[in-house]
Amino acid sequence: MNKHTRIDVTEFVKRRFDLMAQMPENSVALIPAGKEVTRSRDTEFLFCQDKDFYYLTGFHEPDALLVLVKSIECESILFCRAKDPEQEVWHGRRVGAEQAESEFNFDVTYELAELEQILPLYINNRDAVLFAQGSNSEFDSLVFACLDILRGAGKQGLTAPKTIIDIRDLIHEMRLIKSPSEIKVMREANEISANAHKRAMQASEQGLFEYQIEADILHEFAYNGARSAAYGSIVAGGENATILHYTDNDEVLMSDELVLIDAGAELAGYAADITRTFPVNGKFTKHQAQLYNLVLAAQEAVIASIKPGSNFAIANDIANTVLTTGLYELGILTGDLKQLIIDKASKQYFIHGIGHWLGLDVHDVGDYQINEDRQQVREFQPGMVLTIEPGLYFDGEANVDENYQGIGIRIEDNILVTEAGYENLSVNAPKTVSDIEAIMKK
Ligand code: GLY
Ligand code: MN
Ligand code: MN
């Protein structure tokens, strides 16, 4: 088992074969690794591997290239950085071409220095080349340079593929259905993240800065093996919670306010994406609890409906019905309730979608099949993982009773679709009023 991937190398080999089985006869696929990104002068951000490349290789170094050849036989080829004692003393160990072949089970490996000379030969005489055209201009240029070399060498019997195919759809459809070993990693990413949310609840106190709670969360992630958050953590006290992607995290928490935390660990490449909202002082006021219980009721109703064959459009409808009815009962929405539900009146305060796919990317890949109503109607299938995250947001300008103004609430769980229905992967993060108040009791 590779320490970076936590998934056996045989599974990566199988994914490559599954992809090649879908490629046209006599074609070649090119999937580049990620590149290091400069943070400042000569220092880089912590490296994040390209997720499609990672899915097919488990290889954790930048600058590599996966080549898949589908001909009479199928072949997996990796180009990667050469061993280099001087570079390795400064920047860390490299696997090297020789070890990559045996450790990651490629048929052939080369050092990057050989790329320009050898890559055209793998593309030569193929009917089609598959790659993610447009996602990486430097790589586009490399592929087009190879094609030009082949087109210019007809007299030597070389030919360039006539067809270019976007490989993303094929890989992304595969990534949408998680294997048992991927689910195991995602369960663990969720356990770590749920513990971080619990710790944040226990640490919460009037007068702390939002970033101090963020520090607790990031410590819990890293200490448990998830060195990165899957996305910028949101710790939003009071009205900051009405800013959906608030990441400044630099204000003081006030005793009578709620704090919204949207934070998830990335473990072995896989994201968790959990949101909890709770009172800074550990006790909900009457009005906070009214809104909180309404969002929770919507979330629980949607989650209870998750099963194979359902879809995001149904989930959105359930959330809208529960939220609109609740807002009507609280006097926040007025008029004819039936009509309000048809008009999706809750959307005034629930301003984002009910959820998204989750996996190697936090907003994971895979088609939603958005129809003409812009509804997400792709059927849920066992092995899909998705978030369910209703919310209500009343900024200081909202035309509502002043007791509700400045309140933002979101509750977000990570749901695995199973044969029988669903499994809530983030179930260990407390979310009922009584569970939250109990864990926060000093
Ligand atoms: N954390 C980003 C999202 O919930 O979609
Ligand atoms: Mn989310
Ligand atoms: Mn989130």
Side-chain angles (χ1 to χ4, degrees):
M1 186 82 58
N2 182 303
K3 71 175 177 185
H4 296 276
T5 64
R6 298 174 185 231
I7 292 178
D8 198 87
V9 68
T10 53
E11 182 161 335
F12 293 96
V13 173
K14 179 177 181 305
R15 291 175 190 170
R16 296 198 288 270
F17 272 107
D18 288 348
L19 177 58
M20 286 188 275
Q22 300 171 68
M23 288 164 49
E25 292 305 321
N26 194 33
S27 63
V28 59
L30 310 172
I31 301 110
K35 293 212 156 294
E36 285 184 304
V37 179
T38 302
R39 182 173 186 277
S40 144
R41 270 176 64 80
D42 58 353
T43 57
E44 283 88 31
F45 286 103
L46 192 62
F47 177 62
C48 179
Q49 185 57 283
D50 177 90
K51 300 292 188 174
D52 286 341
F53 176 87
Y54 182 80
Y55 179 76
L56 293 167
T57 63
F59 194 70
H60 52 279
E61 293 185 11
D63 300 329
L65 173 66
L66 173 67
V67 179
L68 299 175
V69 175
K70 180 169 181 180
S71 171
I72 298 161
E73 288 191 18
C74 288
E75 241 188 328
S76 282
I77 300 115
L78 185 82
F79 291 85
C80 67
R81 299 187 303 189
K83 292 291 288 176
D84 182 333
E86 198 187 322
Q87 284 294 317
E88 289 181 55
V89 164
W90 281 93
H91 301 297
R93 298 182 184 94
R94 296 176 174 190
V95 174
E98 196 179 319
Q99 196 184 326
E101 187 174 315
S102 53
E103 192 180 325
F104 292 84
N105 233 328
F106 296 106
D107 298 306
V108 189
T109 54
Y110 298 96
E111 293 177 353
L112 282 173
E114 300 173 278
L115 184 68
E116 263 183 48
Q117 201 194 344
I118 292 177
L119 185 58
L121 303 179
Y122 277 111
I123 303 174
N124 176 38
N125 277 331
R126 304 289 163 216
D127 293 329
V129 58
L130 296 88
F131 73 111
Q133 195 179 341
S135 69
N136 172 343
S137 56
E138 200 182 319
F139 188 68
D140 285 355
S141 303
L142 173 72
V143 177
F144 292 136
C146 287
L147 296 179
D148 276 345
I149 289 169
L150 296 173
R151 288 188 195 110
K155 285 208 282 288
Q156 288 100 58
L158 306 186
T159 64
K162 297 278 182 283
T163 308
I164 294 177
I165 297 172
D166 188 344
I167 196 164
R168 278 169 282 212
D169 286 347
L170 294 180
I171 302 173
H172 294 176
E173 283 299 295
M174 291 171 66
R175 280 177 52 186
L176 189 52
I177 308 294
K178 275 69 184 176
S179 70
S181 48
E182 288 180 289
I183 290 165
K184 191 160 171 258
V185 178
M186 292 189 75
R187 234 184 237 123
E188 202 180 327
N190 264 276
E191 261 169 43
I192 294 169
S193 306
N195 282 336
H197 279 268
K198 265 193 218 166
R199 183 166 154 180
M201 288 173 190
Q202 287 167 327
S204 171
E205 210 169 272
Q206 138 99 359
L208 284 179
F209 282 90
E210 293 162 338
Y211 56 72
Q212 292 179 297
I213 299 290
E214 182 184 18
D216 268 315
I217 289 168
L218 295 180
H219 181 273
E220 191 70 23
F221 290 173
Y223 195 81
N224 290 288
R227 278 189 64 207
S228 295
Y231 53 91
S233 306
I234 297 169
V235 180
E239 195 175 337
N240 293 336
T242 65
I243 302 167
L244 295 184
H245 289 162
Y246 174 83
T247 48
D248 286 348
N249 299 358
D250 60 358
E251 293 197 354
V252 174
L253 296 174
M254 308 298 282
S255 175
D256 54 347
E257 292 181 337
L258 295 174
V259 53
L260 180 156
I261 298 181
D262 184 344
E266 181 179 290
L267 184 72
Y270 287 84
D273 181 9
I274 302 177
T275 307
R276 290 293 183 261
T277 311
F278 55 89
V280 169
N281 64 14
K283 188 98 188 97
F284 284 88
T285 66
K286 181 178 131 207
H287 291 93
Q288 289 168 347
Q290 283 172 339
L291 293 180
Y292 185 86
N293 281 325
L294 175 53
V295 177
L296 184 60
Q299 204 229 15
E300 286 180 335
V302 174
I303 291 175
S305 77
I306 303 285
K307 58 176 189 234
S310 191
N311 61 49
F312 274 121
I314 294 171
N316 267 303
D317 280 347
I318 293 170
N320 174 57
T321 303
V322 176
L323 290 175
T324 301
T325 306
L327 292 170
Y328 174 83
E329 285 168 354
L330 291 174
I332 294 172
L333 292 174
T334 52
D336 176 56
L337 178 58
K338 262 194 189 150
Q339 194 57 44
L340 289 168
I341 291 172
I342 292 167
D343 295 343
K344 301 189 192 306
S346 64
K347 279 294 167 195
Q348 195 181 338
Y349 305 112
F350 169 37
I351 49 185
H352 53 76
I354 189 66
H356 53 82
W357 310 131
L358 183 71
L360 284 168
D361 288 299
V362 61
H363 295 156
D364 208 28
V365 294
D367 263 344
Y368 291 90
Q369 292 182 354
I370 294 170
N371 67 6
E372 64 271 18
D373 297 331
R374 300 196 64 70
Q375 289 187 322
Q376 300 167 328
V377 294
R378 178 178 197 139
E379 285 195 355
F380 297 153
Q381 282 171 246
M384 289 177 169
V385 180
L386 48 99
T387 69
I388 295 298
E389 48 179 306
L392 286 174
Y393 309 91
F394 303 96
D395 64 22
E397 308 294 303
N399 186 20
V400 293
D401 183 309
E402 64 179 0
N403 287 304
Y404 299 129
Q405 272 177 354
I407 290 183
I409 295 168
R410 179 165 63 256
I411 309 172
E412 177 174 28
D413 279 312
N414 299 173
I415 308 294
L416 165 70
V417 183
T418 63
E419 296 285 349
Y422 70 90
E423 175 187 336
N424 186 344
L425 302 177
S426 42
V427 71
N428 287 333
K431 70 174 175 178
T432 62
V433 165
S434 56
D435 283 353
I436 290 173
E437 289 186 345
I439 200 167
M440 292 184 74
K441 212 165 195 150
K442 299 269 177 202

